[in-house]
Amino acid sequence: MHRFYIFVLLSIACLVVGCPSLSKKPPAVPYHQLYQTIDDPKAQEFLKLGLQFLRRVHGPLEFSVNEVLLRYSKKNGNGFRYAIVEGFSLTEIVDAEAGIFAIYISVPPSHREFYLLLAHEIGHLKKPSLVDDWAMEGFCMLFSKYLCGQLGHDWSIWERRLHAESDDPYARAYHRALRQR
């Protein structure tokens, strides 16, 4: 009952005074400046080794990769004022000419799927201009599996998920990539 009264009071206050709202992100503000930086030394080392592995085994890359900004896709102090999403994983081209990219990961380094996601996103550095390309997603799933295997991270949780969920587009892309290799 107390929750109902609190809700009513807050609703009345919003009507009278106005509710706080989040503004749209100005185009001049880069997204990577609005999310938490991942400074974890193990994550940074994994990123470095993963990029070396990608270049050695699957190079050349579409763009020169000179810097990768590693981010946890949770808003930082600057991001809280903007209406931007959280909880996603992706690779972003920040400045292709300068070779600067950002990798956003949906979970913190302590999460059991962090390195699987990071390896997948490192795979996107092979050809980061491909967006919504399921062949590339399949490649990234395989790359994640092999990189995690090389660096001692358990990939079995994704293996089980990809075999159990046949309707999942990532599972279909993974199985297609397995057949094509």
Side-chain angles (χ1 to χ4, degrees):
M1 194 66 170
H2 285 78
R3 288 183 185 172
F4 175 74
Y5 290 118
I6 292 171
F7 173 75
V8 170
L9 288 173
L10 287 174
S11 297
I12 292 170
C14 280
L15 288 172
V16 173
V17 194
C19 291
S21 62
L22 298 174
S23 61
K24 288 178 68 174
K25 181 192 85 59
V29 177
Y31 278 103
H32 67 270
Q33 291 181 359
L34 305 176
Y35 292 96
Q36 297 176 19
T37 300
I38 297 174
D39 290 325
D40 183 86
K42 289 180 184 175
Q44 293 292 336
E45 181 66 13
F46 186 92
L47 173 61
K48 181 179 123 193
L49 294 172
L51 189 53
Q52 289 172 355
F53 183 75
L54 182 65
R55 286 180 174 128
R56 186 175 70 249
V57 177
H58 299 287
L61 308 181
E62 178 182 20
F63 299 108
S64 177
V65 178
N66 299 317
E67 183 179 3
V68 178
L69 309 168
L70 190 53
R71 299 293 187 261
Y72 175 33
S73 60
K74 296 274 295 175
K75 296 176 189 180
N76 63 19
N78 296 325
F80 276 107
R81 64 181 139 212
Y82 300 115
I84 56 175
V85 298
E86 297 179 284
F88 60 89
S89 295
L90 67 79
T91 299
E92 173 192 31
I93 300 171
V94 174
D95 184 337
E97 279 187 36
I100 302 172
F101 300 84
I103 289 179
Y104 302 86
I105 303 297
S106 61
V107 296
S110 59
H111 192 279
R112 68 182 181 171
E113 293 187 47
F114 175 83
Y115 288 99
L116 288 64
L117 289 162
L118 179 54
H120 177 97
E121 295 305 326
I122 292 168
H124 279 291
L125 292 170
K126 168 102 174 109
K127 199 157 184 142
S129 66
L130 287 180
V131 179
D132 295 332
D133 183 284
W134 288 107
M136 188 67 199
E137 292 300 333
F139 168 81
C140 291
M141 296 304 287
L142 283 179
F143 181 79
S144 176
K145 179 180 182 175
Y146 293 120
L147 180 60
C148 286
Q150 290 289 313
L151 298 180
H153 292 275
D154 182 17
W155 209 78
S156 64
I157 185 171
W158 276 17
E159 190 80 46
R160 287 190 302 275
R161 188 179 304 149
L162 293 171
H163 286 293
E165 299 179 21
S166 61
D167 290 341
D168 182 302
Y170 288 93
R172 288 195 306 268
Y174 171 71
H175 291 293
R176 194 174 306 119
L178 276 175
R179 287 190 301 272
Q180 292 174 351
R181 64 180 179 125

